[in-house]
């Protein structure tokens, strides 16, 4: 018998150590696996059990990497909404020894805190209580100097609007959302802040500011001129919009009275239309009167029903459903389409609307966006839908042809005028730099658009818009004076009007549309009070254009003629 | 032979140990420095943000308008108006000076002034002006980083 090959059945003498070696190997292998899987499992457990921490640029520092809420800038990059680091003050009442003394000291620092209720809070058995938020770094310093244990601070950002009242209606403001000692949400209260809330709060996007189409300088000029106009004509309020014709970008949008978004008014007890938070330019729905005649005329021109010199009967009153349509002033028996717009004939407009027919008028108005809520980026705009006649009859078509029976916002009107001026291509208003990218649909032909621009120029050069004629800018436009509907629903006020002027300049190569609406203006400089737009809204628009066009970098169309040697130099308009 | 091998092994272990030790501490100090730098960057960013807001606040149109109103006796500023635009032809030239003879025309599309063909237009001021180091030294300004 050899050791190498044990006989079958015999007890293996050297077999036991070999068997044990394999066992050891297996044990070792198992151990290795246990260690490996254990490491992985441990790491997973650690990750699952650890406290989630906000990603910070400075590990462990209290400064966050990015602002909690994105910034908003104007088209030139000037800050409109930004954040300032601030603090919130909270207390652990159980740790406070002398509640009355502490409450007294705090009420010295924050005069709006009531010492008595504060004492009650601090003396209570609660573990936690907010005291004041937000507070400024300086106030924090003073509180720290009190040296009271139990008073603590949490980091908080303060939303701030450096331009104040100028951006009130655009921004509206913010309110605190969910909050904790370590974090706080700031939620948009309205306006752009609410519309873009998700985007502004998205941590991935807070580093990139939202660029608006607003130009703060133009906004300031518009606000100043409107304020002047409101004072001069004793108006209740005003709305003004300056819109780029090609892109629909709103360069300036003002509604008066306004408010400071840094401290938005909470409650307002007066009439809703006087609430400073009400945005007349985007939320206000008004019948805008004769400014609609331009739309009626351009529809008729586009449909090929009339030419600018087509004569239309303006003598016989139009009657429908027991109502008759007449004109304010005596008009010639027959007028051209140009004159109907320039001299603002209701009968002429109604006749053109009837030539088109209700269906076509509705179709055009729909394509102009007159039936939909404004597509602009304000939270309030979506709720302000145009008011249509509940039962659209031929009489409705007639009255709408001169701006009664359909109530829209001044921004709707500005967008419609921009569409007419933009070679007939639809313009969608937008508050974002570069426009919203919508629109572009051909609503009117280029020819109708060019013809209409020439007619609008005539309104200003020889019609009701004369007071808005800024030399060199070829201003064109149309006035509208609409009686205000009575709040009790019984017809219209006799002596209360909404005076509107919608202007386009320059008419040969339209760049901007300006719409100004004054609420209940009256010019008392003459022997009798005058309320017509031609004496109220028109001069205001003239000032707006004279102020804003140079700010927007537009040179007047004038060319100097050099006189005889040493003589004076005069400028003459070169526009057609 | 075997002993020599041990000696080399021990030396190698000591060298590696020293290297590891130093690298370890270098890494730790670098990490600390990175954290410190990040902290300072975050601080600087925060200060920049505060300063930007302050700048925007100080330059808010309404504030500037009020300041101008209050101090305009010294400032003498006027509102920008269409008449503020001038033409070269409006400048009274000295007798015998070059006078552009071609009238200036406004480009209706672009709102730019088209120059008469024989006259150069003034060049806009550059945003940054490169000044030679020697000039800076001469006027006593140290070259910045």
């Amino acid at each position: 018998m050899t050791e190498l090959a044990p006989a079958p059945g015999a007890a293996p003498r050297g077999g036991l150590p070999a068997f044990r070696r394999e066992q050891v190997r297996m044990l070792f292998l198992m151990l290795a696996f246990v260690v490996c899987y254990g490491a992985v499992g441990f790491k997973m457990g650690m990750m699952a059990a650890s406290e989630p921490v906000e990603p910070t640029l400075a590990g462990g520092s209290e400064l966050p990497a990015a602002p909690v809420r994105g910034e908003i800038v104007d088209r030139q990059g000037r800050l409109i909404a930004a954040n300032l680091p601030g603090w919130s003050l909270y207390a652990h009442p159980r740790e406070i020894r002398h509640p009355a003394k502490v409450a007294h000291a705090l009420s010295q620092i924050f005069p709006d805190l009531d010492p008595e209720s504060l004492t009650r809070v601090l003396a209570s058995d609660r573990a936690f209580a907010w005291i004041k938020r937000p507070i400024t770094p300086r106030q924090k310093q003073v509180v720290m100097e009190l040296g009271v244990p139990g008073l603590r601070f949490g980091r908080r950002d303060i939303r701030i609007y450096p331009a104040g009242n100028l951006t009130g209606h655009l921004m509206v403001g913010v309110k605190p959302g969910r909050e904790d000692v370590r974090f706080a949400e700031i939620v948009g209260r309205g306006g752009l802040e609410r519309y873009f809330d998700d985007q502004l709060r998205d941590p991935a996007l807070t580093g990139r500011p939202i660029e608006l189409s607003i130009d703060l300088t133009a906004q300031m000029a518009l606000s100043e001129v409107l304020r002047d106009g409101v004072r001069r004509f004793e108006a209740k309020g005003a709305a003004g919009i300056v819109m780029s014709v090609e892109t629909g970008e709103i360069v300036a949008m003002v509604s008066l009275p306004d408010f400071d978004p840094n401290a938005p008014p909470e409650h307002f007890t007066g009439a809703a239309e006087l609430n400073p938070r009400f945005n007349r330019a985007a939320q206000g729905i008004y019948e805008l009167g004769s400014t609609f005649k331009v739309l009626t005329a351009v529809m008729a021109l586009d449909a090929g029903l009339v030419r600018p010199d087509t004569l239309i009967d303006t003598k016989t009153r139009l009657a429908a459903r027991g109502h008759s349509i007449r004109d304010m002033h005596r008009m010639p028996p027959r007028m051209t389409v140009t004159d109907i717009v320039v001299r603002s004939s209701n009968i002429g407009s109604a006749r053109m609307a009837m030539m088109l027919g209700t269906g076509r008028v509705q179709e055009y108005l729909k394509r102009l966006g007159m039936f939909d809520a404004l597509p602009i980026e304000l939270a309030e705009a979506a709720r302000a839908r145009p008011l249509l006649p509940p039962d659209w009859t031929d009489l409705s078509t007639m009255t709408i042809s001169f701006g009664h029976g359909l109530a829209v916002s001044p921004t709707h009107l500005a967008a419609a005028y921009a569409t007419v001026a933009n070679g007939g291509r639809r313009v969608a208003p937008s508050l974002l730099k570069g426009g919203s990218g919508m629109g572009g649909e051909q609503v009117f032909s280029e020819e109708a658009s060019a013809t209409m621009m020439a007619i609008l120029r005539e309104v200003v050069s020889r019609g009701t818009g004369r007071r808005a004629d800024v030399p060199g800018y070829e201003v064109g436009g149309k006035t509208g004076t609409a009686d205000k509907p009575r709040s009790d629903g019984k017809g219209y006020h006799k002596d209360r009007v909404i005076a509107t002027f919608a202007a386009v300049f320059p008419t040969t190569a339209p760049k901007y549309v300006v719409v100004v609406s004054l609420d209940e203006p009256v010019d008392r400089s003459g022997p009798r009070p005058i309320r017509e737009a031609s004496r109220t809204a028109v001069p205001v628009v003239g000032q707006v254009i004279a102020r804003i066009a140079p700010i927007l970098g537009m040179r007047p169309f004038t060319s100097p003629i050099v006189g005889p040697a040493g003589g004076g130099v005069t400028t003459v308009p070169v526009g057609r | 032979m075997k002993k020599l091998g041990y000696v080399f092994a021990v030396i190698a272990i000591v060298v590696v140990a020293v290297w590891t030790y130093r690298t370890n501490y270098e890494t730790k100090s670098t990490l600390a420095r990175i954290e410190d730098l990040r902290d300072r960057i975050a601080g600087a960013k925060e200060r920049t943000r505060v300063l930007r807001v302050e700048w925007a606040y100080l330059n808010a149109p309404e504030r500037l308008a009020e300041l101008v109103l209050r101090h305009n006796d010294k400032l003498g500023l006027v509102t920008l108006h269409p008449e503020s635009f001038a033409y070269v032809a409006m400048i009274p030239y000295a007798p015998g000076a070059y006078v552009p003879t071609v009238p200036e025309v406004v480009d209706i599309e672009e709102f730019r002034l088209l120059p008469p063909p024989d006259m150069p237009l003034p060049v806009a001021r550059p945003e940054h002006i490169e000044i030679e180091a020697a000039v800076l030294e001469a006027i006593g300004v140290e070259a910045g980083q």
Side-chain angles (χ1 to χ4, degrees):
Chain A
M1 281 180 71
T2 63
E3 282 189 0
L4 284 169
R13 284 203 355 237
L16 199 65
F19 173 68
R20 197 176 271 163
R21 203 155 59 227
E22 270 159 24
Q23 239 185 352
V24 168
R25 269 187 195 168
M26 228 135 91
L27 218 67
F28 184 74
L29 213 63
M30 273 162 67
L31 206 74
F33 273 108
V34 166
V35 167
C36 288
Y37 280 105
V40 172
F42 178 73
K43 185 72 192 166
M44 278 167 67
M46 284 295 284
M47 280 166 91
S50 64
E51 279 277 309
V53 182
E54 283 237 17
T56 55
L57 185 64
S61 156
E62 58 192 4
L63 299 174
V68 290
R69 196 175 168 85
E71 292 177 340
I72 301 176
V73 298
D74 86 338
R75 63 184 305 125
Q76 315 263 14
R78 287 173 290 213
L79 277 181
I80 286 180
N83 309 292
L84 271 184
W87 301 86
S88 60
L89 176 60
Y90 63 97
H92 288 174
R94 283 181 203 159
E95 295 173 20
I96 290 176
R97 291 273 173 78
H98 311 288
K101 251 167 89 180
V102 174
H104 178 73
L106 285 176
S107 64
Q108 296 279 308
I109 301 168
F110 308 106
D112 54 325
L113 289 183
D114 171 37
E116 276 174 33
S117 57
L118 196 58
T119 311
R120 264 201 305 282
V121 169
L122 294 180
S124 68
D125 196 32
R126 285 153 66 181
F128 175 88
W130 285 113
I131 294 184
K132 183 152 172 72
R133 60 220 150 136
I135 64 173
T136 63
R138 191 170 300 165
Q139 289 170 327
K140 180 195 171 213
Q141 191 59 36
V142 180
V143 175
M144 275 173 86
E145 279 164 12
L146 291 178
V148 178
L151 289 184
R152 291 168 191 223
F153 306 96
R155 244 196 82 85
R156 195 104 332 160
D157 272 29
I158 304 174
R159 194 73 164 161
I160 188 158
Y161 307 97
N165 282 30
L166 277 188
T167 53
H169 287 110
L170 300 173
M171 296 298 137
V172 180
V174 289
K175 58 186 177 194
R178 285 189 307 131
E179 65 181 335
D180 190 350
V181 174
R182 275 165 304 176
F183 74 93
E185 278 181 352
I186 306 177
V187 185
R189 193 191 274 273
L192 276 149
E193 288 272 27
R194 172 106 157 252
Y195 189 90
F196 285 117
D197 207 30
D198 292 339
Q199 193 179 330
L200 288 166
R201 279 161 61 184
D202 188 342
L205 297 174
T206 50
R208 251 185 309 153
I210 293 182
E211 284 183 293
L212 299 189
S213 58
I214 296 288
D215 183 307
L216 264 189
T217 317
Q219 178 87 353
M220 174 69 191
L222 180 62
S223 161
E224 237 177 45
V225 173
L226 285 189
R227 217 173 284 272
D228 263 10
V230 165
R231 205 175 308 127
R232 204 162 107 211
F233 301 118
E234 300 162 29
K236 275 188 172 172
I241 297 128
V242 179
M243 187 187 288
S244 160
V245 164
E246 278 151 50
T247 57
E249 291 172 283
I250 296 171
V251 177
M253 178 189 254
V254 172
S255 167
L256 293 179
D258 57 10
F259 65 95
D260 187 356
N262 292 305
E266 281 295 333
H267 300 291
F268 186 79
T269 44
E273 56 165 9
L274 291 178
N275 189 339
R277 276 192 58 179
F278 183 69
N279 185 349
R280 287 161 189 269
Q283 258 178 303
I285 299 291
Y286 309 104
E287 291 174 301
L288 292 171
S290 308
T291 50
F292 267 62
K293 287 174 188 161
V294 170
L295 305 180
T296 311
V298 77
M299 286 172 201
L301 284 167
D302 180 60
L305 296 174
V306 295
R307 288 182 300 133
D309 53 1
T310 306
L311 280 167
I312 288 175
D313 174 19
T314 50
K315 191 184 172 199
T316 32
R317 288 183 177 187
L318 266 176
R321 292 187 145 216
H323 296 267
S324 72
I325 289 163
R326 42 202 174 85
D327 277 321
M328 295 295 164
H329 313 285
R330 277 178 61 89
M331 298 274 180
R334 269 145 53 95
M335 289 164 91
T336 62
V337 171
T338 304
D339 274 349
I340 285 171
V341 176
V342 171
R343 303 188 57 178
S344 203
S345 161
N346 290 351
I347 298 178
S349 287
R351 245 183 240 292
M352 277 194 280
M354 287 332 288
M355 285 163 77
L356 283 156
T358 299
R360 262 199 287 189
V361 169
Q362 280 176 327
E363 180 61 26
Y364 274 121
L365 288 174
K366 192 172 170 56
R367 287 167 73 189
L368 282 171
M370 290 295 195
F371 294 169
D372 304 315
L374 275 180
I376 63 170
E377 297 82 359
L378 291 176
E380 294 83 16
R383 273 175 283 154
R385 302 189 72 85
L387 281 178
L388 306 176
D391 175 21
W392 193 307
T393 60
D394 279 354
L395 179 66
S396 313
T397 308
M398 282 190 230
T399 58
I400 286 168
S401 78
F402 52 87
H404 283 269
L406 174 62
V408 297
S409 74
T411 310
H412 276 104
L413 188 71
Y417 269 60
T419 302
V420 176
N422 189 29
R425 280 177 301 280
R426 176 156 182 202
V427 175
S430 172
L431 280 165
L432 288 183
K433 190 177 180 180
S436 62
M438 294 191 291
E441 178 202 359
Q442 197 81 36
V443 182
F444 304 114
S445 66
E446 294 223 5
E447 205 187 333
S449 157
T451 311
M452 204 59 229
M453 286 300 111
I455 297 174
L456 286 184
R457 176 72 194 125
E458 280 193 50
V459 176
V460 173
S461 61
R462 68 180 173 94
T464 48
R466 276 189 300 267
R467 280 157 208 262
D469 198 3
V470 185
Y473 286 120
E474 292 186 344
V475 182
K478 179 76 190 82
T479 54
T481 312
D483 293 333
K484 276 176 84 168
R486 291 167 62 117
S487 49
D488 56 11
K490 291 179 188 157
Y492 290 88
H493 285 291
K494 279 272 160 279
D495 55 351
R496 293 185 188 177
V497 299
I498 299 270
T500 310
F501 188 57
V504 179
F505 72 97
T507 43
T508 44
K511 282 271 182 293
Y512 292 100
V513 166
V514 179
V515 173
V516 166
S517 259
L518 295 176
D519 191 357
E520 298 187 22
V522 51
D523 178 6
R524 294 194 195 276
S525 61
R528 61 176 188 91
I530 295 169
R531 296 186 168 84
E532 274 73 42
S534 57
R535 294 289 291 273
T536 53
V538 173
V540 172
V541 167
Q543 281 176 37
V544 169
I545 292 174
R547 284 287 303 277
I548 281 185
I551 288 171
L552 298 173
M554 291 173 72
R555 219 171 212 288
F557 288 166
T558 55
S559 182
I561 296 174
V562 183
V569 170
T570 50
T571 60
V572 292
V574 294
R576 277 153 279 171
Chain B
M1 195 60 210
K2 215 174 181 183
K3 265 186 186 164
L4 205 68
Y6 281 138
V7 170
F8 273 120
V10 167
I11 291 174
I13 286 170
V14 169
V15 168
V16 167
V18 168
W19 177 82
T20 314
Y21 179 85
R22 286 182 48 183
T23 308
N24 187 16
Y25 274 85
E26 243 171 61
T27 311
K28 277 185 180 165
S29 81
T30 308
L31 280 177
R33 236 184 61 221
I34 288 172
E35 193 160 304
D36 178 49
L37 282 176
R38 282 195 174 152
D39 221 10
R40 276 160 60 188
I41 291 170
K45 277 194 173 165
E46 178 89 36
R47 277 197 303 283
T48 320
R49 255 164 55 197
V50 172
L51 288 173
R52 276 182 64 219
V53 173
E54 216 164 294
W55 177 262
Y57 173 75
L58 292 175
N59 285 288
E62 283 185 334
R63 199 187 104 92
L64 288 185
E66 206 190 303
L67 287 177
V68 167
L69 202 69
R70 203 183 302 163
H71 299 289
N72 215 17
D73 50 337
K74 294 188 193 90
L75 294 169
L77 300 175
V78 290
T79 326
L80 188 62
H81 266 286
E83 298 82 48
S84 310
F85 290 92
Y87 295 88
V88 178
M90 294 171 174
I91 303 167
Y93 283 86
Y98 164 87
V99 178
T101 47
V102 186
E104 293 156 287
V105 179
V106 174
D107 179 354
I108 284 184
E109 284 301 314
E110 291 293 321
F111 279 93
R112 273 187 310 110
L113 191 65
L114 296 179
D118 61 339
M119 193 187 63
L121 264 193
V123 179
R125 196 168 64 91
E127 271 185 25
H128 300 286
I129 303 173
E130 292 284 333
I131 305 175
E132 283 174 37
V135 179
L136 286 173
E137 209 172 299
I139 58 173
V141 179
E142 247 178 73
Q145 299 106 342

